[in-house]
Amino acid sequence: MALLLKNRGAMLILMFNLLLVFTGIGLVIPIMPKFMENLGITGGIIGLLVAAFSLTQLLFSPLAGRLSDQFGRKKMIVIGMLIFAFSEWMFGIASSTWLLFFSRLLGGISAALIMPAVMAYAADVTTNEERATGMGYINAAITTGFIIGPGIGGYIAEFGIRAPFYAAALAGVVAALINLLILPESHPAKDNDLPAPAAQRSSLLQQLKQSYKEPYFLSLIIIFVMTFGLANFETVFGLFVDHKFGFEPKDIAFIITFGSIAGAVVQVTIFSWILQQFGEKRVISICLLVAGVFILLTLFVHTFWLIFAVTFIIFLAIDILRPAVSTQMSMLAKDQQGYVAGLNSAFSSLGNIVGPIVAGFLFDLDINYPYTLACLVLLVCFGLSLKGRQESLQKRAA
């Protein structure tokens, strides 16, 4: 009972810290179009900025996963939080493009340190039966940050277009302190002299090459394709509604806020039940199909409330899809939680590198092109998920 209470307390602290950090990230979402407009930055540059973040996240994620296995989750989380705070502060003071890129590169390092450690931490303190619930709680904290972040950001922006970035930096420092002072370590540091498994000693390139041999390789491919498609949608969302419909930051904040509420409610209430009833693979397939179809519908709606309804469903599908994929990967990882979480993050980063670059430059050609491509990619991913389910059924029959 004492261990159970301790684990619950650790999960609550972890969720609170993620809430702070992703509130900090959410703060800047509604003001990004105006911020970029003031600096004279095109859609292509925005795509490259997002890709820069994902590039360093990709390069550091496998290393961060190994470090969290070797030195403990807590150290990686605290260091990542501090780097996140510094990167947001730097973005706020930046007046040149190269500083913006340097800030995003640092932000990617922070994400690489934080997310694999967080996912591995959740796996450390939950049983297989509790895993879906734990992942749902973690993703609910992230979603809730995005829910309250844009609204707070819209208010803070009244004090200056750069003020939300400074607030995000402050949130990162507070989160780091809470982790340092209160969060217990779930995975004690290991003896540095102990040899790591061969797969975990290899370089990033070798890990990516060898990943096709793993039983979760198809899941990694789905993660890449899924992330590529979603990145096309998310990277230019603010620009899309700003250019096509003339939405103000408060309108963007309203859509994102209420579009995320349903996802958070589902994650903390019935997400575990959904996975138990339908299974991770079926839930992933359905969410991919729904997201792809409704992204396509975004191109054909014109009134504010229709846009709100369509994007509401897209955000709901995304908010169910991501923890479902994380749960599936965690169940396959067994005793390599940190390593597999790092690969998960690495394949996500690959999608987040290619997707935003393509979306940004397509946006400069035609604002409808990124969403057309996002629809096609997610439907392809839907087909891959069906293939994975069929192969699983054939193995069981054999």
Side-chain angles (χ1 to χ4, degrees):
M1 178 62 72
L3 180 60
L4 179 61
L5 291 176
K6 179 181 177 181
N7 290 344
R8 285 181 176 176
M11 287 292 292
L12 287 174
I13 295 169
L14 201 65
M15 289 170 62
F16 180 69
N17 283 282
L18 285 177
L19 174 67
L20 283 180
V21 171
F22 282 88
T23 296
I25 295 174
L27 289 174
V28 307
I29 293 175
I31 57 95
M32 282 302 290
K34 298 298 181 185
F35 184 78
M36 295 304 182
E37 183 180 321
N38 290 347
L39 294 179
I41 295 176
T42 64
I45 296 297
I46 291 177
L48 289 172
L49 283 170
V50 176
F53 180 100
S54 301
L55 176 62
T56 49
Q57 186 179 12
L58 167 67
L59 295 176
F60 280 85
S61 285
L63 173 62
R66 296 198 304 271
L67 291 176
S68 75
D69 284 339
Q70 186 173 2
F71 297 106
R73 323 303 189 194
K74 179 177 177 175
K75 289 181 181 178
M76 297 303 104
I77 294 172
V78 171
I79 294 171
M81 296 288 190
L82 291 174
I83 295 175
F84 163 80
F86 181 71
S87 71
E88 290 298 320
W89 174 79
M90 180 172 288
F91 203 92
I93 67 170
S95 57
S96 60
T97 303
W98 77 267
L99 270 179
L100 294 177
F101 274 101
F102 185 65
S103 169
R104 292 300 84 191
L105 291 170
L106 285 178
I109 294 174
S110 73
L113 292 172
I114 293 170
M115 293 314 298
V118 166
M119 294 301 179
Y121 193 113
D124 290 338
V125 298
T126 56
T127 64
N128 287 343
E129 293 75 18
E130 298 168 338
R131 190 67 46 78
T133 301
M135 292 300 176
Y137 284 164
I138 291 297
N139 282 275
I142 294 171
T143 301
T144 304
F146 279 117
I147 289 173
I148 64 177
I152 297 173
Y155 172 77
I156 295 176
E158 297 294 324
F159 298 95
I161 200 69
R162 296 174 183 266
F165 296 100
Y166 302 140
L170 178 61
V173 172
V174 172
L177 288 174
I178 292 175
N179 276 292
L180 179 63
L181 299 176
I182 303 176
L183 186 69
E185 178 58 74
S186 68
H187 188 82
K190 295 182 178 180
D191 188 341
N192 292 351
D193 294 330
L194 292 176
Q200 299 189 38
R201 295 196 304 266
S202 58
S203 67
L204 169 63
L205 184 59
Q206 289 174 323
Q207 288 181 36
L208 293 176
K209 285 182 177 180
Q210 295 298 318
S211 62
Y212 77 93
K213 299 178 181 179
E214 304 291 351
Y216 42 77
F217 178 67
L218 183 59
S219 295
L220 291 171
I221 293 298
I222 291 175
I223 287 170
F224 166 71
V225 180
M226 173 192 74
T227 308
F228 175 88
L230 294 179
N232 274 268
F233 170 74
E234 294 170 331
T235 299
V236 299
F237 175 75
L239 294 175
F240 179 80
V241 295
D242 174 69
H243 284 62
K244 192 168 185 176
F245 307 111
F247 284 6
E248 294 295 323
K250 63 179 181 180
D251 300 316
I252 300 172
F254 179 83
I255 291 176
I256 293 173
T257 297
F258 284 92
S260 301
I261 284 175
V265 171
V266 168
Q267 287 169 353
V268 298
T269 54
I270 62 171
F271 175 72
S272 179
W273 176 86
I274 290 173
L275 291 193
Q276 290 175 2
Q277 292 296 312
F278 303 102
E280 294 95 341
K281 293 181 179 179
R282 184 175 297 177
V283 170
I284 290 169
S285 297
I286 293 172
C287 288
L288 287 169
L289 178 61
V290 171
V293 170
F294 276 81
I295 286 175
L296 181 63
L297 289 178
T298 306
L299 303 179
F300 300 99
V301 294
H302 301 287
T303 66
F304 176 85
W305 289 109
L306 280 177
I307 296 166
F308 170 81
V310 169
T311 53
F312 182 91
I313 295 173
I314 293 170
F315 285 129
L316 177 59
I318 292 172
D319 288 336
I320 297 174
L321 177 61
R322 282 179 169 146
V325 173
S326 296
T327 301
Q328 183 183 59
M329 291 295 297
S330 178
M331 297 297 285
L332 293 170
K334 298 181 180 179
D335 61 344
Q336 293 183 323
Q337 295 294 335
Y339 172 66
V340 175
L343 272 180
N344 186 342
S345 182
F347 274 77
S348 296
S349 298
L350 280 173
N352 278 324
I353 290 170
V354 181
I357 293 175
V358 173
F361 285 102
L362 285 178
F363 181 87
D364 289 337
L365 294 175
D366 189 296
I367 61 176
N368 294 319
Y369 285 174
Y371 281 12
T372 303
L373 179 61
C375 170
L376 293 175
V377 169
L378 289 173
L379 292 180
V380 168
C381 195
F382 166 70
L384 288 174
S385 70
L386 291 181
K387 179 182 178 182
R389 287 176 58 193
Q390 289 174 352
E391 290 180 355
S392 179
L393 291 174
Q394 290 173 355
K395 289 180 180 179
R396 289 181 183 178

